Amino acid sequence: MTDTSISAALLASVTVLALSGCAPNTSNVAEGDGIQVSSTADACEVSTDTAESGTNTFTITNDGDRVTEFYLLGEDGLRIVSEQENIAPGASAQLTVSLQPGDYFTACKPGLRGANVGEAAFTVTGEAVELTGQDDELYSEAVGVYVDFVKNEVAALVPNVEEFAQAYMAGDDARARELFAPTRVNYERIEPIAEALGTLDPRIDYREVDYLAEAAELEADDPTFTEWLGFHRMEKDLWPPQEGDLNADGSSAFEQWTWSTDEDRQRIGRQLVADVQDLYDTVHDEDFAQDQQMTISTVSNGAIALLEEVAVTKVTGEEDWWSHYDLWDFQANVEGSRIAFDLVAPIAERKGEQGRQLVATINEEYDALEALLAQYGNLEDGFVLYDQVTAEQQAELTRQIDELREPLSRLTGTVLEIEG
């Protein structure tokens, strides 16, 4: 990590966790059991619309012909309680989450863009899940430190965004281009938290193709959200396409797009500053963790989700399509993922030899991925632009990501003591 104060705090907290006791098995899921989900092009069929509170596992099978995602949404249908990303056609994946009683929704997103498919009510019944003694201490410590980490990253993001937006609004494109990648690092480390907060992430960080695919739904959720906004709209202004260039989805770069006027830049820059301030106010609210129902599975699944971000958009070069600064985001996602992992690893190790072996394997694969990334640069000195990374090198990065994704996918189940 580049922030030594964060590293020191995390090290101290992880040490506390390592010396604490272990948590009980509160799982509702027997080995090989769970809630079955089938995702297709036009449906998201869930085997039940109710479950008991506590630990539950959704096994999602992609029966369609496009990569899909599965969401468990809050009662407002906007907040993402948990998600499983990047499920290939014909593949299955598991999402393990600790749930409190309440009303939720399930949904899928085949193709990773556009409106949710098959959104349906899902009810969690039973008693509130409460931990006591060492169990409460273990889980609360990890969640508390993770929330503090998120707050610290967003606090650093606010002034960085203000400086970046000022350069963009002033037409100082050279300075804005210098600031673009380092400004985004703090955001990329905590991206899954922002993604859970309704339309904030789409306003701040949606790429053009994602916004256009979901524009009607986004405006329905937030009537003030009527145009593409945020980092990536500003990126396209700063690295404008040339005649004949294509978007990430193969469409013309000039389809439904033109350069922003000076007036546009003022509006877009001010809106990014306002949206990031909204993010700051949200995560710094004293009831944030409670309102978002953050649990140990939030932290564990956050580690997994950040690696999925790398696999879905960073390694493909789709994230920073115009600037090619993808490796900065790649590194930040990996750092954020490892921080979340480090916080729950001591709990996983307390589950016995299987847990210890899993943690050791994950650490080895993180080390290998970080060493591979280091061949292309670092956050302090900069990275190679991603359009200079060859197809063979991208394939090598993809293989190492996959080597980490497999054991990391088993982390939450191990932490919550689910066999299988």
Side-chain angles (χ1 to χ4, degrees):
M1 291 294 296
T2 59
D3 190 325
T4 56
S5 62
I6 295 175
S7 299
L10 286 170
L11 179 60
S13 300
V14 171
T15 301
V16 169
L17 288 170
L19 297 174
S20 303
C22 61
N25 186 349
T26 58
S27 171
N28 294 320
V29 184
E31 184 173 356
D33 200 359
I35 301 167
Q36 305 298 313
V37 181
S38 172
S39 174
T40 61
D42 55 6
C44 186
E45 298 179 356
V46 184
S47 61
T48 179
D49 61 3
T50 185
E52 287 289 315
S53 58
T55 301
N56 286 272
T57 293
F58 294 84
T59 299
I60 308 104
T61 301
N62 187 350
D63 293 314
D65 57 4
R66 294 186 294 170
V67 175
T68 194
E69 297 176 342
F70 172 74
Y71 301 139
L72 183 68
L73 304 170
E75 63 181 351
D76 60 3
L78 297 176
R79 182 175 60 85
I80 299 173
V81 175
S82 200
E83 64 181 322
Q84 180 62 49
E85 299 181 312
N86 201 32
I87 308 169
S92 295
Q94 290 191 328
L95 174 65
T96 301
V97 61
S98 179
L99 295 176
Q100 296 288 358
D103 296 322
Y104 302 83
F105 289 91
T106 56
C108 298
K109 193 184 289 290
L112 311 183
R113 299 188 182 108
N116 291 342
V117 167
E119 188 167 305
F122 187 85
T123 304
V124 177
T125 60
E127 300 296 322
V129 179
E130 296 183 3
L131 299 172
T132 59
Q134 289 182 328
D135 306 327
D136 182 48
E137 181 181 346
L138 268 173
Y139 286 17
S140 295
E141 179 75 16
V143 173
V145 173
Y146 189 66
V147 170
D148 287 344
F149 164 69
V150 170
K151 290 178 178 178
N152 190 76
E153 291 298 309
V154 176
L157 178 68
V158 170
N160 292 341
V161 163
E162 290 174 351
E163 184 180 5
F164 167 66
Q166 285 299 327
Y168 170 79
M169 290 188 291
D172 187 353
D173 287 6
R175 180 60 177 156
R177 284 192 288 265
E178 289 177 358
L179 293 171
F180 177 76
T183 296
R184 289 173 46 75
V185 165
N186 301 110
Y187 188 85
E188 291 294 324
R189 286 176 181 150
I190 55 92
E191 195 167 4
I193 296 296
E195 288 178 343
L197 302 176
T199 59
L200 262 182
D201 178 68
R203 294 177 73 98
I204 294 170
D205 199 42
Y206 255 27
R207 295 168 300 145
E208 184 179 20
V209 292
D210 296 322
Y211 171 76
L212 292 176
E214 301 178 25
E217 293 77 21
L218 292 169
E219 185 176 357
D221 293 337
D222 178 358
T224 71
F225 194 4
T226 58
E227 64 175 326
W228 180 35
L229 297 167
F231 280 122
H232 293 299
R233 175 161 181 182
M234 297 159 83
E235 176 196 8
K236 194 170 182 179
D237 283 331
L238 294 169
W239 287 272
Q242 303 300 309
E243 192 65 35
D245 285 349
L246 302 177
N247 284 316
D249 64 353
S251 62
S252 168
F254 293 89
E255 185 175 332
Q256 302 186 58
W257 179 85
T258 188
W259 286 271
S260 297
T261 65
D262 290 342
E263 183 180 353
D264 292 334
R265 285 196 178 208
Q266 298 302 312
R267 183 182 66 256
I268 295 163
R270 287 194 299 268
Q271 191 60 63
L272 178 63
V273 170
D275 289 335
V276 169
Q277 182 63 49
D278 192 4
L279 176 62
Y280 176 92
D281 294 340
T282 300
V283 303
H284 282 82
D285 187 281
E286 62 181 12
D287 296 323
F288 171 67
Q290 180 179 344
D291 290 346
Q292 297 301 315
Q293 297 179 311
M294 293 183 70
T295 66
I296 194 66
S297 59
T298 306
V299 183
S300 181
N301 285 333
I304 299 168
L306 277 164
L307 199 69
E308 291 299 319
E309 289 286 342
V310 176
V312 173
T313 61
K314 274 68 172 183
V315 79
T316 62
E318 293 180 48
E319 179 75 3
D320 297 319
W321 187 252
W322 303 111
S323 66
H324 306 298
Y325 280 146
D326 302 87
L327 287 175
W328 278 260
D329 292 353
F330 194 137
Q331 179 70 44
N333 280 164
V334 172
E335 288 182 347
S337 176
R338 192 158 196 175
I339 284 172
F341 164 71
D342 284 344
L343 288 171
V344 299
I347 302 173
E349 288 178 318
R350 292 288 181 170
K351 305 303 178 180
E353 182 58 28
Q354 183 177 0
R356 289 189 291 272
Q357 290 181 357
L358 180 64
V359 168
T361 298
I362 292 172
N363 270 317
E364 289 174 1
E365 299 303 340
Y366 269 122
D367 289 345
L369 180 56
E370 290 173 352
L372 187 57
L373 267 175
Q375 296 178 18
Y376 299 95
N378 56 65
L379 292 177
E380 289 75 21
D381 302 319
F383 286 94
V384 173
L385 294 181
Y386 206 63
D387 60 348
Q388 302 301 309
V389 179
T390 68
E392 183 179 355
Q393 290 171 324
Q394 290 182 27
E396 182 182 25
L397 286 164
T398 300
R399 286 192 295 271
Q400 184 52 50
I401 292 167
D402 289 341
E403 288 295 317
L404 175 55
R405 287 171 68 196
E406 190 284 320
L408 195 62
S409 71
R410 295 184 270 127
L411 178 65
T412 305
T414 301
V415 168
L416 297 176
E417 292 191 316
I418 296 176
E419 301 292 336

